[in-house]
Amino acid sequence: MSKPSDLVQGTLDMLLLKILALEPMNGFAVSQRLKQVSDDVLQMSDGSLYPALHKLEQEGWITAEWKTSVKGRRAKYYSLTRLGRRQLEKETDNWGRLSSAISRVVKLKEA
Amino acid sequence: MRPEHWLYTIRLRLRSLFRRRQADQELDDELRDHIEQKTAEYVAKGMTPREAHRTALLDMGGVEKRKEECRDTRRVNWVQDLLQDLRFTFRMLCKSLGFTAVAVLTLALGIGANTAIFSLINAVLLQPLPGIANPKQLASLFRMQKNDPFGVNGYPDYVDYRDRNRSFSGLAAHAAVWMNLGTGSPERIIGDIVTGNYFPVLGVQPALGRLIVLDDDTKRDANAVVVLSYSLWERKFGSSRAILGRKITLNGYPFIVIGVAPPRFTGVLAALRTDVWVPMSMLHEGMPSSRGQHYFEERAWGWMRIFGRLKPGVSFEQAQTDMRVIARQLALAYPITNTGHTVALECGVGIDPDDRASLTGFLGLLFAAVGLLLVIACANIAGLLLVRATGRRREISVRLALGATRGRLIRQLVTEGLFMSFVSGALGLILAPWIIRISVHYAQPTSVIRDSNVSPDARVLAFTLLVSILAGVAFTVLPALRSSSPDILTSLKEGAPRSSRNQSLLQRLLAAAQVGASFVLLIAAGLLFHNMYKILNSNPGFDTTNIFMASINLTMQGYENGKDSSVGTFRNTDGEAVNGKRGDVFYHQLLERLTRLPQVSSASLSTSIPPNPWPGGASVFHPGEEPPQNLLKGQWFQRGLHVNIVNVSPYYFQTLGIPLMQGRDFDLGDDETTPGKAIVSRNLAERMWPGENAIGKRISWPTVEGPSRPRLEVVGVAADCKYLSLTEPPPLIMYVPLFQNYSGRVTIALHTTLPPAAASAELRSAVAALDKTLPVFETKTMQDYVGFSVWQQKIASSLIGAFGLLAVFLAALGLYGVLAHSVSQRTHEIGIRMALGAQKGDILWMVIREGLLLAGAGVIIGMGGALALTRFLRALLFEITPTDPAALTGVALLLALVALLACYIPARRAMRVDPMVALRYE
């Protein structure tokens, strides 16, 4: 669904899908994990996180479930659907092609 | 989007729509949870709880805004907007109930009338006959000759077409006839005599038992089997399964019931519903008049309808070419009978092409009329909406000022319009059956329209929906565009001009258009009515009042002509042998009884009563000029002088009021023992013996088949009359004595002052006194009979007249609306005028002049429309005097009068304006 030209949007979707592919988690955990794994390089504002998650849910790529966490809090846990897994593969492929193309171009300049 | 994906997401959309509150609550909880965790994190980093909470909120960047963003991802906002619009619409419409009621009812009548006429068109012209498999593969085959296009076919021709063609997987034939069902109370039913492949070609499966198959149609007179229609089975035999294998009597002959047709299948006669089917091999029993005749051998006699199923891959045109080649081969092989014959294929089965053409014109006319009515209704509501929009300017300006986009406002206004038109559409669907019933009320007893299935199907519903949407959009778009235009903002400023020039011009145009359209409708109705009046009141040459008639069929009842002994033993409805019952004796006794009835001045029996488009026919010659018989056979219409033949008893002319100009009437002495006599119409005498006295002249009418008939002596000359129809000139007629030329089916005519019900009772009791099981049918007065012959004009003129009056009423409302609005807008101006010395009369005239100008403009528009319309009417349907000055003036005057009435109330209000009040008001 994401438009190829919309790089940032597409990339954000891919990152969220990737994180959720590892294990189901709630929104807060997603934001923590994103910071963690990218060594604080990718900072996502809390404000844009939730609309993004809801959009993925409405697309049918992730699904949500209310669960009680280990700390005894009720929280909304997101997990990847079959459709989402397919979408992640597609976007990862796209990203791979795009980033290798970009790095080729960048290297060309350096040489 | 892939289907699985779609299936998955639709659940989410529905949840967002219908469990919105829960979804919102969850969204709330989710975000609060996040804030709490974030706060806890900040506290852990050493912030005060208060500070931590604030920072967490700031990170989120406005909780409500984020919530709205999350909701936006649900993609169902438009539905919610629509619901909101609808709620608002409902409130607005409830606030002005009067307006809403008028608009909705107006539109409901318009949509109802359109639905009704479309249902008729759908039932008569669009729908294939029900219960037939793949009706699109079927085609009907007609014999074409110069004088008789779209004719029926003879049996030997049918066999050749069936066996030689390469285009049809099956070619079937059938002949529909009245039959006398003798089981239970005697009743006349519709039977279809069909070839063995009839049901297989149609692809019909039995509801019970089996249908007629090829084996039933092999040995002549040996397979007395019958298939019942589902409705006859229900009505007459109580849906009993035990009927299979039992015998029922048809035309006094026992037939074994082998099966019941499925409920949906009603036969292939568009105009009639078939009650029973019998195999072609039983023609002589199914159609007793065919006994002793050569129906299966004679090529020249057309009596069967042929239809077939095209082979897969064969186009209609290929089949037509194929059949025409066969027709040419037949013309070469049988020059005497088939010269000049060709064939035409028509798509489908059921309605005949010439019927289709005349019905298309007729229904097209009605459709145009209701279309016009709907246009008027829409213009009317558009006018009302414009007036109302002025009242809503303040509301709309406020909404625009508060940031509503113009698109959103138009959407709201169109929603209001569509809501009203949907309610009207639903009401219209309820009204439509009533309108249909009224229009069908006049239809001929056997007309296609009356017996068609007019219950609304998917197509009719779709049509009504479409009309509702179109109407809704049509009457809202203009007012919506006008009232949401940005310049409306000025109206927020007090004292700005209250109505823009454009708007009132638009209103005026709409009002004038309504007057014009109703003018066209009234003119059409007036012309049709005048035409009908002229037809009914022109002297047809026979009496149209005080005549009562009924028919009987002795042949079906097993009677025979005394002389003719070739007819075998028959059984009557009680199953007893009636060999020897003599029809001519019965007629003598019946005539005697009838003439003795009270208040009956004369009575007669005959094979036909005018106006009858198809009395019998024959070719007549001067003695000695007859062609050899084999030549006569095929060239029936080309040889001699073709005349209409009517077999009549004594007193026929007296009973029908046809004057005898010369000679004498037939008397009881003109029977089979005396030489043949004839009475000719005046024009026939003129054609045969110009300038001579016809009395005593001899005339020859050789038969096509069998022994030649003796020449007839002319004993009288009758005045010409419009025998075939009231709109056709008098035809050539030769009357022959019934007692010299027996017919088993006659029409009884009584000249009587009795009211119809009493006449019917007297007539029935006279018949019953002679044979109490003989059915009497088609009882009616001459007035009704003549009325039937102009049923198209009658329906068209009364329906269009009713629509026209409705249209005038609407136009008057429209006119009133415009003027009332204009007066209220000009109160200030009128006040000034009066203050400056204008008299009340001047003010009155000012308003009335405005109204009359509008009406006049409308009439001029209407005149143009009416001229185009009369051309259309004349080309399509009836003989219409192109421009009837009386009708034009009459309608124009009527409209002027209505316009005056519509002006009067606003004019009086204007007159009563108190200048002091008017001026102070500002």
Side-chain angles (χ1 to χ4, degrees):
Chain A
M1 290 301 281
S2 70
K3 292 160 261 168
S5 64
D6 195 353
L7 177 62
V8 181
Q9 184 62 49
T11 324
L12 178 56
D13 287 353
M14 183 183 71
L15 290 177
L16 293 176
L17 288 174
K18 183 69 195 170
I19 287 167
L20 289 172
L22 304 175
E23 59 173 317
M25 57 183 74
N26 64 22
F28 183 70
V30 171
S31 71
Q32 299 289 83
R33 179 64 62 87
L34 191 60
K35 255 191 285 186
Q36 221 174 46
V37 294
S38 69
D39 292 334
D40 283 349
V41 173
L42 292 171
Q43 287 253 9
M44 187 180 195
S45 85
D46 295 348
S48 40
L49 173 66
Y50 283 93
L53 281 173
H54 279 246
K55 188 194 143 233
L56 293 183
E57 188 188 356
Q58 290 295 332
E59 293 288 1
W61 292 333
I62 61 177
T63 180
E65 202 182 352
W66 286 86
K67 273 199 269 194
T68 313
S69 73
V70 275
K71 286 176 203 160
R73 306 177 68 96
R74 265 180 62 73
K76 197 176 178 187
Y77 278 79
Y78 293 95
S79 58
L80 216 58
T81 63
R82 212 156 48 83
L83 286 168
R85 210 164 287 283
R86 209 179 295 155
Q87 178 68 16
L88 175 60
E89 277 165 23
K90 212 170 82 189
E91 294 206 359
T92 318
D93 279 0
N94 279 346
W95 174 251
R97 251 176 296 151
L98 192 68
S99 61
S100 67
I102 288 174
S103 57
R104 270 203 302 276
V105 170
V106 171
K107 277 178 189 151
L108 199 73
K109 263 193 165 178
E110 278 177 345
Chain B
M1 210 188 280
R2 281 183 301 271
E4 45 169 327
H5 193 174
W6 190 78
L7 272 176
Y8 181 86
T9 51
I10 191 137
R11 236 177 38 220
L12 292 165
R13 302 283 185 277
L14 287 176
R15 182 170 180 272
S16 320
L17 257 188
F18 294 106
R19 312 194 53 184
R20 188 161 149 230
R21 196 163 296 171
Q22 192 191 339
D24 282 351
Q25 179 66 46
E26 284 178 3
L27 180 59
D28 244 28
D29 290 350
E30 187 180 16
L31 293 186
R32 185 159 5 94
D33 183 55
H34 179 94
I35 304 264
E36 278 169 17
Q37 291 196 46
K38 197 84 188 225
T39 310
E41 197 187 280
Y42 281 131
V43 169
K45 280 185 182 165
M47 290 189 189
T48 63
R50 207 183 148 79
E51 202 180 346
H53 187 65
R54 213 179 84 85
T55 321
L57 281 179
L58 276 178
D59 282 350
M60 187 63 85
V63 178
E64 285 310 315
K65 189 160 164 262
R66 293 308 163 200
K67 277 189 196 166
E68 194 54 42
E69 280 173 19
C70 287
R71 280 190 214 109
D72 279 347
T73 65
R74 292 178 197 160
R75 299 189 187 181
V76 288
N77 282 346
W78 63 273
V79 182
Q80 277 151 20
D81 281 354
L82 181 69
L83 288 176
Q84 196 191 344
D85 279 356
L86 276 178
R87 266 199 301 273
F88 187 70
T89 295
F90 196 68
R91 278 209 309 272
M92 284 309 292
L93 293 182
C94 281
K95 256 206 273 183
S96 44
L97 260 184
F99 162 79
T100 312
V102 169
V104 163
L105 278 180
T106 306
L107 203 56
L109 279 171
I111 295 178
N114 274 274
T115 302
I117 301 303
F118 183 77
S119 306
L120 286 179
I121 290 176
N122 181 41
V124 175
L125 298 174
L126 301 181
Q127 254 173 9
L129 291 169
I132 296 171
N134 293 324
K136 284 191 180 136
Q137 294 175 346
L138 294 177
S140 300
L141 185 74
F142 293 93
R143 177 163 79 178
M144 304 289 287
Q145 14 183 166
K146 205 173 74 203
N147 292 307
D148 184 25
F150 300 115
V152 280
N153 294 274
Y155 190 81
D157 280 357
Y158 159 67
V159 172
D160 286 328
Y161 289 129
R162 181 191 67 194
D163 297 341
R164 294 191 195 181
N165 84 78
R166 281 165 303 172
S167 314
F168 290 92
S169 59
L171 201 63
H174 67 111
V177 289
W178 288 106
M179 288 185 184
N180 205 346
L181 173 64
T183 308
S185 59
E187 191 181 339
R188 227 162 63 112
I189 58 172
I190 296 164
D192 210 358
I193 303 174
V194 303
T195 53
N197 58 356
Y198 172 93
F199 286 109
V201 166
L202 291 174
V204 175
Q205 298 301 321
L208 189 69
R210 66 174 181 88
L211 301 174
I212 290 165
V213 294
L214 281 173
D215 277 351
D216 295 314
D217 186 22
T218 46
K219 222 168 140 222
R220 296 269 152 79
D221 306 307
N223 292 305
V225 294
V226 59
V227 171
L228 307 179
S229 77
Y230 199 89
S231 65
L232 186 77
W233 180 55
E234 274 183 328
R235 179 164 63 83
K236 204 82 182 180
F237 304 101
S239 305
S240 158
R241 302 180 71 90
I243 189 69
L244 287 185
R246 286 219 335 243
K247 283 179 180 166
I248 63 168
T249 45
L250 292 174
N251 303 336
Y253 195 91
F255 279 79
I256 298 171
V257 177
I258 53 167
V260 176
R264 269 172 56 71
F265 180 67
T266 54
V268 294
L269 318 163
L272 305 163
R273 288 179 192 194
T274 311
D275 293 309
V276 294
W277 291 266
V278 302
M280 191 58 81
S281 56
M282 299 304 290
L283 174 71
H284 295 143
E285 291 72 21
M287 184 162 64
S289 60
S290 66
R291 285 165 168 264
Q293 311 276 343
H294 303 277
Y295 274 62
F296 288 113
E297 294 82 24
E298 186 50 72
R299 268 179 206 277
W301 293 356
W303 56 282
M304 313 170 88
R305 285 167 196 283
I306 301 180
F307 64 88
R309 187 174 290 278
L310 290 170
K311 277 182 186 161
V314 174
S315 78
F316 185 81
E317 287 71 24
Q318 285 167 334
Q320 169 123 328
T321 315
D322 184 19
M323 300 318 273
R324 286 203 167 141
V325 168
I326 300 174
R328 215 169 303 138
Q329 291 169 354
L330 292 179
L332 287 175
Y334 310 100
I336 292 175
T337 50
N338 285 41
T339 300
H341 289 188
T342 179
V343 289
L345 273 193
E346 286 286 317
C347 289
V349 288
I351 193 161
D352 282 358
D354 30 4
D355 285 347
R356 173 179 286 272
S358 110
L359 282 169
T360 307
F362 170 64
L363 291 173
L365 175 70
L366 291 187
F367 203 43
V370 289
L372 211 50
L373 181 71
L374 189 64
V375 169
I376 296 173
C378 284
N380 197 280
I381 299 177
L384 286 175
L385 279 175
L386 275 178
V387 172
R388 212 166 71 107
T390 327
R392 281 175 74 177
R393 289 167 82 89
R394 197 58 67 80
E395 169 213 330
I396 288 168
S397 323
V398 168
R399 293 180 68 182
L400 277 174
L402 288 180
T405 62
R406 193 172 173 205
R408 187 80 184 71
L409 268 182
I410 291 177
R411 205 158 95 187
Q412 161 69 30
L413 293 171
V414 171
T415 305
E416 277 184 43
L418 283 179
F419 180 79
M420 281 198 291
S421 68
F422 281 141
V423 174
S424 308
L427 269 178
L429 273 180
I430 299 171
L431 281 176
W434 294 88
I435 299 172
I436 293 173
R437 208 168 304 161
I438 294 168
S439 35
V440 169
H441 174 74
Y442 292 107
Q444 237 171 350
T446 57
S447 85
V448 174
I449 286 182
R450 200 201 59 171
D451 284 307
S452 295
N453 172 25
V454 285
S455 51
D457 60 359
R459 207 191 314 231
V460 172
L461 292 179
F463 171 83
T464 308
L465 185 68
L466 185 73
V467 166
S468 305
I469 292 173
L470 284 181
V473 171
F475 68 72
T476 36
V477 160
L478 272 183
L481 283 179
R482 284 243 32 93
S483 56
S484 62
S485 66
D487 68 340
I488 201 150
L489 276 176
T490 53
S491 76
L492 269 181
K493 300 171 199 146
E494 196 69 41
R498 295 176 124 216
S499 177
S500 69
R501 231 164 207 296
N502 285 342
Q503 182 156 330
S504 61
L505 181 67
L506 198 58
Q507 261 170 271
R508 271 150 222 264
L509 272 178
L510 285 172
Q514 287 175 57
V515 173
S518 49
F519 181 83
V520 173
L521 275 181
L522 280 184
I523 283 290
L527 285 179
L528 288 171
F529 187 80
H530 191 191
N531 184 246
M532 183 180 76
Y533 183 84
K534 261 197 336 214
I535 292 171
L536 287 179
N537 287 280
S538 65
N539 179 15
F542 52 86
D543 283 354
T544 53
T545 50
N546 291 338
I547 293 174
F548 189 80
M549 59 180 88
S551 297
I552 52 173
N553 193 329
L554 294 186
T555 309
M556 279 192 194
Q557 191 75 351
Y559 284 75
E560 54 189 84
N561 188 13
K563 214 177 68 178
D564 183 4
S565 54
S566 67
V567 181
T569 305
F570 248 81
R571 282 171 194 286
N572 74 2
T573 49
D574 298 327
E576 41 188 85
V578 290
N579 202 2
K581 265 198 188 178
R582 287 187 47 172
D584 51 346
V585 175
F586 182 93
Y587 288 153
H588 272 114
Q589 292 170 341
L590 182 61
L591 261 184
E592 200 184 303
R593 280 178 183 274
L594 292 173
T595 39
R596 272 189 284 141
L597 291 179
Q599 295 181 58
V600 169
S601 55
S602 72
S604 72
L605 306 173
S606 59
T607 50
S608 107
I609 298 265
N612 176 3
W614 301 284
S619 291
V620 297
F621 301 87
H622 287 292
E625 292 179 5
E626 305 94 337
Q629 210 177 24
N630 65 342
L631 249 185
L632 194 64
K633 245 183 179 177
Q635 316 292 322
W636 180 259
F637 288 96
Q638 282 92 330
R639 296 279 167 167
L641 189 59
H642 183 74
V643 300
N644 298 286
I645 303 284
V646 188
N647 311 15
V648 303
S649 75
Y651 313 117
Y652 180 78
F653 300 97
Q654 194 182 332
T655 309
L656 293 182
I658 302 173
L660 272 178
M661 302 172 76
Q662 266 183 295
R664 65 168 179 91
D665 189 7
F666 299 132
D667 58 39
L668 291 171
D670 296 320
D671 61 14
E672 284 170 351
T673 62
T674 58
K677 307 282 193 304
I679 293 174
V680 294
S681 59
R682 194 202 54 79
N683 51 7
L684 178 58
E686 194 62 32
R687 280 287 287 277
M688 292 287 286
W689 309 282
E692 294 179 55
N693 184 358
I695 305 294
K697 289 278 190 301
R698 298 196 164 260
I699 192 164
S700 177
W701 59 320
T703 49
V704 182
E705 184 68 21
S708 62
R709 275 187 287 218
R711 291 162 186 166
L712 304 176
E713 182 196 346
V714 176
V715 295
V717 176
D720 291 337
C721 64
K722 295 184 178 168
Y723 204 97
L724 304 182
S725 85
L726 298 181
T727 50
E728 284 174 71
L732 306 175
I733 309 177
M734 184 166 82
Y735 304 91
V736 295
L738 180 65
F739 291 119
Q740 287 182 340
N741 303 275
Y742 178 77
S743 163
R745 183 197 190 285
V746 294
T747 301
I748 304 165
L750 302 178
H751 197 111
T752 176
T753 48
L754 286 172
S760 171
E762 293 284 358
L763 191 151
R764 280 174 192 280
S765 73
V767 171
L770 293 172
D771 183 342
K772 63 176 186 301
T773 62
L774 179 66
V776 174
F777 50 87
E778 290 170 359
T779 56
K780 50 187 165 258
T781 64
M782 180 61 108
Q783 255 163 325
D784 287 343
Y785 187 56
V786 169
F788 285 143
S789 67
V790 288
W791 64 276
Q792 286 199 342
Q793 279 101 323
K794 216 167 182 175
I795 296 183
S797 64
S798 47
L799 269 188
I800 297 178
F803 296 152
L805 288 180
L806 193 63
V808 171
F809 176 70
L810 291 179
L813 270 185
L815 215 54
Y816 166 80
V818 170
L819 292 177
H821 184 230
S822 147
V823 166
S824 75
Q825 296 292 305
R826 290 165 73 185
T827 312
H828 188 65
E829 176 202 330
I830 293 169
I832 292 177
R833 277 171 189 265
M834 289 181 100
L836 292 178
Q839 294 301 303
K840 289 197 166 186
D842 300 337
I843 302 295
L844 186 74
W845 174 238
M846 184 182 87
V847 177
I848 286 182
R849 199 187 53 177
E850 194 186 342
L852 287 184
L853 273 177
L854 278 181
V859 166
I860 289 167
I861 300 172
M863 288 270 189
L867 283 179
L869 174 104
T870 36
R871 193 165 302 163
F872 172 76
L873 278 184
R874 223 173 2 153
L876 262 175
L877 221 37
F878 315 119
E879 296 201 357
I880 297 263
T881 23
T883 35
D884 190 335
L888 285 176
T889 337
V891 170
L893 279 179
L894 175 72
L895 280 176
L897 194 72
V898 171
L900 264 182
L901 277 177
C903 302
Y904 183 66
I905 301 173
R908 258 181 36 151
R909 198 179 301 151
M911 225 165 64
R912 295 228 181 101
V913 165
D914 182 340
M916 291 310 287
V917 176
L919 292 176
R920 212 180 288 143
Y921 179 71
E922 291 294 324

